[in-house]
Amino acid sequence: MSRAALVGYTNAGKSTLMRALTGSEVYVADKLFATLDTTVRPLVPEARPRVLLSDTVGFIDKLPHGLVASFKSTLDEALEAGLLAQVVDASDPNWERQLEVTTEVLAEIGAGDVPRLLVFNKIDNVGGIEDEARATQALLARWPDAVVMSARRPADVAALRERLVAFFARDLVEGEVHVPYDKQRLRGEIFAACEVLAERYDDHGVTFNVRAHPALLDRLRAA
């Protein structure tokens, strides 16, 4: 399955985004290291193929090497992810330094080359409507592919979800998988890991017309 990880400076709103994107009751608090345990949930509404989202510990400036080691299990989520959603608190006066810190820590743990989507969160906290519009314009002028949003706005959350789904859909191909009737255990995996476009039944089994990653198609056909 495809996996994305939320990373960013502490209090950037990662856990709030996690809850909004997955419908999960993850712990949300305005303090350091509120997220110490790894949380992994599917996007809601579920995508096909399924996209899993994980939250990670919030980073801080000059994160000691000992803490990096202590939080290795949650930081490893960044290494295992196919995409990092790097969350930045756009309303914090020090957001540029915080962006630098998260980028440095990601490089330190070996995740510097993992594809990344910049997510500027809390844009609704920068001021009035005109202030928000100016800040959004300035951010997108520097990072045209970034997402500027508020986790409190359902429409913004839905737009971010679509960006995540679209990223993992880029490499999907369409193909057929024939499953004999005595191997119907594969049906659950096909519906979880593929987008099923059609089903066709014959005397020997079921042929699924799907969109999936090429490697998964090969594995299902060989099962």
Side-chain angles (χ1 to χ4, degrees):
M1 295 177 198
S2 305
R3 177 176 292 194
L6 298 172
V7 297
Y9 206 83
T10 189
N11 295 336
K14 299 187 309 303
S15 293
T16 301
L17 272 176
M18 180 76 177
R19 183 172 58 184
L21 287 164
T22 67
S24 59
E25 292 300 320
V26 297
Y27 182 60
V28 178
D30 184 23
K31 62 182 181 180
L32 293 179
F33 311 132
T35 304
L36 295 180
D37 296 320
T38 300
T39 303
V40 182
R41 299 285 187 275
L43 289 181
V44 174
E46 282 199 6
R48 289 291 184 268
R50 180 179 291 182
V51 175
L52 298 180
L53 185 66
S54 59
D55 198 2
T56 60
V57 64
F59 300 164
I60 62 171
D61 203 353
K62 298 180 176 60
L63 186 66
H65 287 280
L67 282 180
V68 172
S70 298
F71 299 151
K72 190 175 186 302
S73 62
T74 185
L75 293 175
D76 277 349
E77 290 298 323
L79 292 173
E80 295 175 4
L83 175 68
L84 300 179
Q86 187 170 2
V87 186
V88 182
D89 179 354
S91 69
D92 192 300
N94 298 314
W95 68 262
E96 291 198 60
R97 175 56 188 158
Q98 295 177 3
L99 176 57
E100 291 176 5
V101 169
T102 57
T103 301
E104 291 166 1
V105 174
L106 288 171
E108 181 180 348
I109 65 172
D113 294 330
V114 179
R116 206 168 305 174
L117 173 65
L118 267 179
V119 179
F120 290 98
N121 190 28
K122 302 188 182 182
I123 194 65
D124 53 328
N125 289 342
V126 301
I129 295 176
E130 292 183 359
D131 295 324
E132 179 178 334
R134 281 194 295 268
T136 299
Q137 185 177 15
L139 290 169
L140 292 177
R142 292 178 64 180
W143 293 282
D145 295 327
V147 174
V148 182
M149 65 171 296
S150 167
R152 298 187 222 179
R153 297 173 180 163
D156 288 2
V157 174
L160 174 58
R161 178 191 174 278
E162 290 306 309
R163 287 288 298 273
L164 297 176
V165 171
F167 175 85
F168 291 107
R170 297 178 311 167
D171 300 325
L172 300 182
V173 297
E174 188 171 331
E176 290 189 345
V177 179
H178 186 266
V179 180
Y181 287 120
D182 61 353
K183 293 186 178 179
Q184 289 301 301
R185 67 184 186 283
L186 294 174
R187 184 183 184 89
E189 182 177 359
I190 289 172
F191 274 89
C194 308
E195 178 186 357
V196 178
L197 304 174
E199 299 177 56
R200 187 173 68 254
Y201 295 81
D202 58 32
D203 292 341
H204 306 289
V206 185
T207 299
F208 296 92
N209 180 220
V210 302
R211 290 181 72 243
H213 291 283
L216 176 62
L217 273 177
D218 291 341
R219 183 170 64 79
L220 290 171
R221 288 165 174 163

